[in-house]
Each structure stands twice: as structure tokens, then as C-alpha cells.
Amino acid sequence: MIYLIYIFGALTMLFGILTAVLYHKERYRLAKDAKMTAAAFFLALGAASCALSPVNGAAPAVIYAGFIPSFAGDYFLAKKEYPLSAEDDFGAFSLGVASFAIAQILYFVGFMYAAGWRLSPLFIPLAAYSIIPTVGGIASKFLSVEKKRIPIMISYGILLSLTLFASASRYHLYPSTGSLLALIGSICFCLSDTVLGSYYFANINIDKKLLNYPIMALYFAAQILYAFSLLYA
């Protein structure tokens, strides 16, 4: 079974990188298929890891539950890449972010459960990780964001930052291989979403399609690390 987990992890990353390549080549339908295939593999990876987890309590199941809305978020944000009307684009964006917001809540609860519902004050600044650059980027015009999207972005940023706060606190309070993998996964998630925000909204003079490579690599690395973290107490 453990070998199957490694295979699922490798296939997740393989199709994740393929997704970036296809987006770069503007093969959007194939990119969506590749992305959803990668997402299906990380669902299988998470289920297998959860089944083998030595961790007592509900934490592994709650963390794995976060994979399911992540899968939905992948679908809606992949749909956003198609040529859509402004209304449909906003709808796909909103549903995608809402799905990932649910995922972040589940990850946060899972990490808190694993840490005995404790947080370390040392990492309070991490709770503002995404808020400061988001608000600063909008205020400085580095990010061009419609007003109706701003509350969505800020709300999601708060949840993303809280997950990072919880994973860092867990590792600080209960250092282990599992908590370290979860922390690195949270960092990858935050970096991926930071680059994704630049992809959607930043005023930069580069080929934005190139940003798909770090976005996909970091995002699927995060999900793989979350799944592998379930294998360790």
C-alpha cells in the first residue's frame, strides 16, 4: 500500500506539471483535463494516507476532508481559464475561491485538532501573511482588482494565513515529521496562491503564462505534503 501512495504522489505532480505546460501552450481544455486528473490522484493519495495514518483522533480525517473542496476549487478555477463573459468569470472565480476557503477551514481545524487546540503566540504575525501584501498591492495599484472581488480575496487570505499560523504552531509545539511536512505544505500553499494572485491581477510586464509553472508545482506539492503528513504521528 505504501508504494501505491508514492505512485499516487508522483502522478499528482506529473499531471500538475503537465497542466502548467498545457496552460503555457494555451491548450485550455487539455489543461483542465490534466489538472482534474492530478486532483483525482491527490484525492486517492489522501484517502490512502488517511487509511494508513497512525495519528489518533479525527485530525487525519478532517485534513483529508479538505481535499474534497480543493478538488471542486480546481474545477471552478480551471473553468475560469476558458473565454467567459464577465459574469461567468466572476461566478467561476467566486465558486473556486469559496471551495478553497472551505478547504482552508478544514485544514485549519485539522491542524488545530492535531495540536490539542493550541496556538503559539510566537507565530501570530503569520496570521497577517496574505492580508498585508493584498491590501498593499491593491492600494498601490500593483494589483488591479474589481471592487466586488476584494472582499472575497481578503476573506480567503485570512483563512489561508490562519492555516499557516496553525501549522507553524503545531510544529513548534509538537515537532515531528508529520507536523514538519504539514508546515512545508502550508508554506507551499501560501506561495502558490501568492503567485496565483499575481497571475490574475498583477500589473507586470512578463508572460504571465510562465507563472503557471510555480503555481501548479507549489500547489500540488502542498497537497502531496499534506497527504504524506498523515503517515506520521
Side-chain angles (χ1 to χ4, degrees):
M1 181 66 128
I2 191 68
Y3 295 108
L4 192 60
I5 288 175
Y6 293 140
I7 291 171
F8 284 154
L11 288 172
T12 297
M13 184 56 71
L14 175 64
F15 278 94
I17 297 301
L18 178 60
T19 301
V21 171
L22 292 169
Y23 274 138
H24 190 204
K25 293 181 177 296
E26 299 184 347
R27 303 291 296 276
Y28 296 117
R29 293 189 182 279
L30 287 176
K32 178 185 175 184
D33 292 340
K35 187 177 186 182
M36 298 317 298
T37 301
F41 278 123
F42 80 59
L43 278 181
L45 168 64
S49 298
C50 188
L52 294 178
S53 179
V55 180
N56 295 321
V62 175
I63 293 170
Y64 172 63
F67 284 32
I68 298 171
S70 289
F71 181 91
D74 285 333
Y75 171 79
F76 289 119
L77 292 186
K79 184 179 178 182
K80 185 184 181 303
E81 295 302 313
Y82 289 88
L84 299 172
S85 67
E87 182 178 350
D88 289 341
D89 180 86
F90 179 71
F93 172 79
S94 299
L95 289 171
V97 175
S99 298
F100 278 112
I102 295 170
Q104 295 301 334
I105 291 170
L106 290 167
Y107 294 145
F108 174 79
V109 172
F111 295 151
M112 288 292 292
Y113 197 107
W117 300 98
R118 297 176 62 197
L119 289 169
S120 172
L122 181 66
F123 297 102
I124 288 176
L126 293 180
Y129 162 79
S130 66
I131 304 304
I132 295 174
T134 298
V135 174
I138 293 171
S140 66
K141 307 299 183 182
F142 175 73
L143 301 175
S144 297
V145 186
E146 293 177 276
K147 288 184 178 180
K148 62 183 179 181
R149 297 180 193 242
I150 293 175
I152 298 172
M153 290 177 61
I154 291 176
S155 298
Y156 175 74
I158 291 171
L159 294 173
L160 181 68
S161 299
L162 287 175
T163 300
L164 179 61
F165 181 22
S167 64
S169 295
R170 176 192 174 193
Y171 178 68
H172 177 70
L173 296 169
Y174 302 100
S176 68
T177 301
S179 61
L180 176 60
L181 291 174
L183 172 58
I184 297 172
S186 293
I187 293 170
C188 287
F189 221 126
C190 288
L191 292 175
S192 175
D193 281 348
T194 298
V195 180
L196 183 63
S198 296
Y199 174 75
Y200 283 149
F201 305 115
N203 297 310
I204 48 179
N205 294 318
I206 65 169
D207 180 3
K208 285 190 175 182
K209 293 191 292 295
L210 291 172
L211 297 180
N212 280 293
Y213 292 98
I215 290 168
M216 296 302 162
L218 289 165
Y219 167 66
F220 286 110
Q223 301 288 30
I224 292 168
L225 288 166
Y226 280 174
F228 282 176
S229 75
L230 303 180
L231 297 172
Y232 300 92

